[in-house]
């Protein structure tokens, strides 16, 4: 059905316009009443963190140059969501954040501590700004830093180290030590410790503050409780430029046992021929007040050795032990060494110095007999006797042989002659007196032996020409190649004595006259044949008891 505008078209339009406005107003009110929940949700804010520092600035005060000081500041997240600190920067190198490590997350409503260290390297005022970056609603936060560097502080010790040497267990020794602040600012010693068995520290309490040039003293004591070497350290911790000052300690604990002494205190073997050995005696005595145990006896040095002592060996107080030390020279030259005796004595290692010299072997030359008697020889004739030279120790070369009286001469030895060690060489002495009477002389052999000369005494008696003689004859030898004969004579008493050759040269005939007989003496005679090879036969038949009448 179509409505009609009874009032006309214009009035109808005005009516529609007012009705529309009323409808829109009602619609708006309806929407306000029915859409409240949507309108409240649309107006709420999302969660977020808020980062803040407990201080806006930190003042480190005065810190010695070369030292350091650390302060802390509290960082808080007062927001509704976690905050992550991604980085932090400091505007100068003299300040630094030492903890915690970044990045770091702080939960909502939580706090953490930031540590900042100030390390000045010189005197003066230092300022800096710490800038902290995070994902908080305030992403950049700053902290102002300030501090003053003062002259460097330095601690010194006098003495800087200490050796207490050897102390008997149960005793002690103390040392006074001076600690000095040699720097320009005050120093605080926060800790004093000592390490090492037997070492003790006293007289220092920490914390201890020392002003510039101020000193303090403390005591270090060594009181060994066991034997053996000990070492330790005093450590002083401070805020000086040398924050950990140390003092080294050493000492030896000597067991409260006996004391071992040696007699003699050293051994010298002098010169010893290479290849030979010399032995000396050594005695060790426990001069202490309690028993000791010798655990080892040894030697060092080429050629040295010990015998006559065996370890372990217990020596009571005052007891001694004697043993032998030998030096066997193996080469020429000086040699040194030690006998080392290890024991439980207060001197646990006792050394006896050894020395010796190896010398090249030098032979010795001896003559036999030491006195050679040639008996009675008629003046104008000759008599001979034999002797021998013997070398020992090493070979000896004889270079000369001479007498100090011309009536004696030496033969049978071709010079120079070398005699091997342990061997002998024979020689002959001829006595040719020119007048009657007793004669003596000295026969001297010169050689490379030690000593360089060897002597033998010679004696003989020249006699007047005899008034009697003995004419001898014999049958010629039937052997071939005979060149002559030697004639031998012996004095007869109850039997024939020792024979001696009486011809000075080989007798070529079977006749010989002995003109050197002594009146009133009886003799025995024998002859031998000598061939062209100088080979001599045995004695012929012996003629015994040929009596010379008394004139």
């Amino acid at each position: 059905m179509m409505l009609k505008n009874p009032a006309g078209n214009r009035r109808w339009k005005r009516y529609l316009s007012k009705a529309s406005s009323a409808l829109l107003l009602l619609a708006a009110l309806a929407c306000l009443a029915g859409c409240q929940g949507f309108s409240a949700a649309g107006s709420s804010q999302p969660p977020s963190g808020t980062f803040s520092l407990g201080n806006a600035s930190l003042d480190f005060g005065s810190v010695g140059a070369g030292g350091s000081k650390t302060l802390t500041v509290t960082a808080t997240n007062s927001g509704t969501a976690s905050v992550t600190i991604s980085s932090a920067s400091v505007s100068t190198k003299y300040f630094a954040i030492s903890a915690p490590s970044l990045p770091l997350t702080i939960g909502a409503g939580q706090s953490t501590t930031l540590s900042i260290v100030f390390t000045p390297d010189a005197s003066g005022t230092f300022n800096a700004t710490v800038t902290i970056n995070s994902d908080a609603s305030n992403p950049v936060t700053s902290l102002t830093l300030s501090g003053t560097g003062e002259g460097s502080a330095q601690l010194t010790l006098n003495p800087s180290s200490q050796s207490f040497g050897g102390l008997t267990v149960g005793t002690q020794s103390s040392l006074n030590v001076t600690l000095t602040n040699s720097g320009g600012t005050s120093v605080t010693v926060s800790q004093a410790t000592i390490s090492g068995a037997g070492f003790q520290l006293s007289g220092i309490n920490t914390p201890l503050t020392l002003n510039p040039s101020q000193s303090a003293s403390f005591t270090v004591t060594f009181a060994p409780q066991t034997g053996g070497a000990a070492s330790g350290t005093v450590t002083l911790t401070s805020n000086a430029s040398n924050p950990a000052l140390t003092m080294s300690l050493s000492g030896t604990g000597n067991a409260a046992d006996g004391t071992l002494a040696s007699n003699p205190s050293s051994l010298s073997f002098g010169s010893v021929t290479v290849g030979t050995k010399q032995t000396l005696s050594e005695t060790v005595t426990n001069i202490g007040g309690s028993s000791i145990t010798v655990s080892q006896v040894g030697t060092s040095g080429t050629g040295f050795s010990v015998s006559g002592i065996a370890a372990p060996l217990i020596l009571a107080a005052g007891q001694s032990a004697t043993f032998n030390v030998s030096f066997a020279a193996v080469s020429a030259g000086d040699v040194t060494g030690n006998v080392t005796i290890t024991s439980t004595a207060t001197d646990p290692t006792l050394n006896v110095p050894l020395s010796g010299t190896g010398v090249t072997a030098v032979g010795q030359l001896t003559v036999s007999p030491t006195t050679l008697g040639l008996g009675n020889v008629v003046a104008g004739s000759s008599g001979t006797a034999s002797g021998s030279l013997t070398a020992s120790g090493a070979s000896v070369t004889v270079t000369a042989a001479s007498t100090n009286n011309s009536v004696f001469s030496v033969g049978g030895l071709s010079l120079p002659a070398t005699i091997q060690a342990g061997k002998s060489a024979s020689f002959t002495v001829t006595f040719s007196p020119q007048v009657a009477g007793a004669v003596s002389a000295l026969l001297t052999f010169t050689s490379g032996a030690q000593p360089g000369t060897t002597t033998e005494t010679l004696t003989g008696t020249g006699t007047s020409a005899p008034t009697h003689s003995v004419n001898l004859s014999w049958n010629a030898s039937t052997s071939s190649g005979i060149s002559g004969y030697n004639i031998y004579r012996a004095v007869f008493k109850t039997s024939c004595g020792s024979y001696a050759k009486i011809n000075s040269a080989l007798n070529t005939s079977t006749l010989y006259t002995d003109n050197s007989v002594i009146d009133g003496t009886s003799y025995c005679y024998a002859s031998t044949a000598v061939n062209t090879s100088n080979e001599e036969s045995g004695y012929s038949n012996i003629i015994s008891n040929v009596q010379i009448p008394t004139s």
Side-chain angles (χ1 to χ4, degrees):
M1 178 178 71
M2 180 178 295
L3 296 175
K4 293 195 177 183
N5 184 0
N9 188 43
R10 186 171 50 185
R11 288 182 64 189
W12 175 251
K13 287 182 179 180
R14 186 168 58 249
Y15 173 79
L16 287 175
S17 176
K18 289 180 179 180
S20 296
S21 296
L23 288 173
L24 288 173
L25 177 60
L26 290 173
L29 291 173
C31 182
L32 180 61
C35 297
Q36 287 180 353
F38 174 78
S39 176
S43 65
S44 66
Q45 298 296 319
S48 64
T50 302
F51 181 75
S52 63
L53 295 174
N55 301 84
S57 64
L58 290 177
D59 184 358
F60 287 80
S62 296
V63 178
S68 64
K69 183 177 181 180
T70 300
L71 295 179
T72 61
V73 63
T74 300
T76 302
N77 175 11
S78 59
T80 58
S82 296
V83 171
T84 297
I85 302 174
S86 57
S87 64
S89 60
V90 185
S91 60
T92 74
K93 64 180 181 180
Y94 304 106
F95 298 89
I97 297 177
S98 60
S101 298
L102 301 180
L104 171 70
T105 298
I106 305 173
Q110 301 296 312
S111 298
T112 191
T113 299
L114 302 181
S115 296
I116 301 173
V117 61
F118 173 41
T119 309
D121 64 352
S123 300
T125 300
F126 295 83
N127 297 295
T129 299
V130 177
T131 301
I132 300 173
N133 301 304
S134 70
D135 59 359
S137 58
N138 52 331
V140 178
T141 305
S142 297
L143 176 67
T144 301
L145 307 175
S146 62
T148 302
E150 295 186 347
S152 62
Q154 179 81 19
L155 287 179
T156 60
L157 287 172
N158 185 26
S160 58
S161 63
Q162 174 65 15
S163 173
F164 288 89
L167 290 179
T168 300
V169 171
T171 65
Q172 67 179 33
S173 177
S174 297
L175 173 72
N176 192 51
V177 182
T178 300
L179 174 66
T180 302
N181 176 9
S182 59
T185 60
S186 296
V187 173
T188 298
V189 178
S190 58
Q191 190 175 18
T193 60
I194 191 167
S195 64
F199 296 102
Q200 302 168 6
L201 179 66
S202 60
I204 184 170
N205 296 314
T206 57
L208 169 66
T209 299
L210 295 177
N211 295 320
S213 301
Q214 187 178 1
S215 296
S217 296
F218 59 90
T219 301
V220 177
T221 301
F222 178 46
Q225 300 303 308
T226 60
S231 60
T233 302
V234 173
T235 302
L236 300 174
T237 304
S238 69
N239 60 350
S241 59
N242 50 339
L245 179 62
T246 61
M247 175 184 183
S248 60
L249 308 172
S250 63
T252 301
N254 294 328
D257 291 327
T259 300
L260 197 62
S262 62
N263 183 31
S265 58
S266 63
L267 293 174
S268 175
F269 291 84
S271 296
V272 178
T273 302
V274 172
T276 65
K277 180 171 72 174
Q278 183 178 353
T279 300
L280 298 176
S281 178
E282 177 65 31
T283 299
V284 290
T285 303
N286 177 7
I287 61 175
S290 59
S291 296
I292 64 172
T293 299
V294 176
S295 57
Q296 188 174 6
V297 180
T299 61
S300 63
T302 303
F304 295 110
S305 62
V306 295
S307 60
I309 187 170
L313 171 66
I314 298 176
L315 293 178
Q319 188 177 4
S320 297
T322 298
F323 57 94
N324 293 324
V325 183
S326 298
F327 174 46
V330 297
S331 62
D334 295 332
V335 182
T336 58
N338 282 291
V339 173
T340 301
I341 303 171
T342 305
S343 71
T344 57
T346 55
D347 46 348
T349 301
L350 175 65
N351 287 318
V352 180
L354 308 175
S355 63
T357 301
V359 295
T360 303
V362 177
Q364 287 79 45
L365 186 67
T366 57
V367 62
S368 179
T370 55
T371 299
L372 181 61
L374 287 98
N376 297 319
V377 177
V378 176
S381 63
S382 299
T384 61
S386 298
S388 65
L389 292 170
T390 302
S392 61
S395 60
V396 174
T397 298
V398 181
T399 57
S402 61
T403 68
N404 60 356
N405 192 324
S406 61
V407 298
F408 297 96
S409 60
V410 185
L413 194 63
S414 180
L415 300 178
T418 299
I419 307 172
Q420 299 300 320
K423 301 296 183 180
S424 299
S426 60
F427 62 92
T428 60
V429 176
T430 300
F431 176 41
S432 304
Q434 301 303 308
V435 296
V439 184
S440 65
L442 196 64
L443 171 59
T444 300
F445 295 95
T446 303
S447 70
Q450 182 64 38
T453 59
T454 304
T455 60
E456 181 182 52
T457 301
L458 305 176
T459 62
T461 302
T463 61
S464 302
T467 58
H468 301 285
S469 63
V470 177
N471 294 319
L472 302 171
S473 65
W474 56 91
N475 295 326
S477 173
T478 59
S479 299
S480 61
I482 299 301
S483 58
Y485 303 89
N486 286 327
I487 299 89
Y488 291 86
R489 184 184 68 191
V491 174
F492 181 89
K493 292 184 179 179
T494 58
S495 62
C496 297
S498 298
Y499 284 91
K501 189 174 70 170
I502 59 175
N503 57 308
S504 59
L506 195 64
N507 196 74
T508 57
S509 70
T510 59
L511 301 173
Y512 183 81
T513 299
D514 182 8
N515 293 313
S516 61
V517 295
I518 299 174
D519 295 348
T521 304
S522 297
Y523 296 97
C524 299
Y525 290 93
S527 64
T528 61
V530 180
N531 65 16
T532 54
S533 297
N534 205 32
E535 295 174 332
E536 189 173 9
S537 73
Y539 290 156
S540 65
N541 292 332
I542 297 172
I543 302 172
S544 301
N545 198 16
V546 178
Q547 298 180 359
I548 309 300
T550 301
S551 299

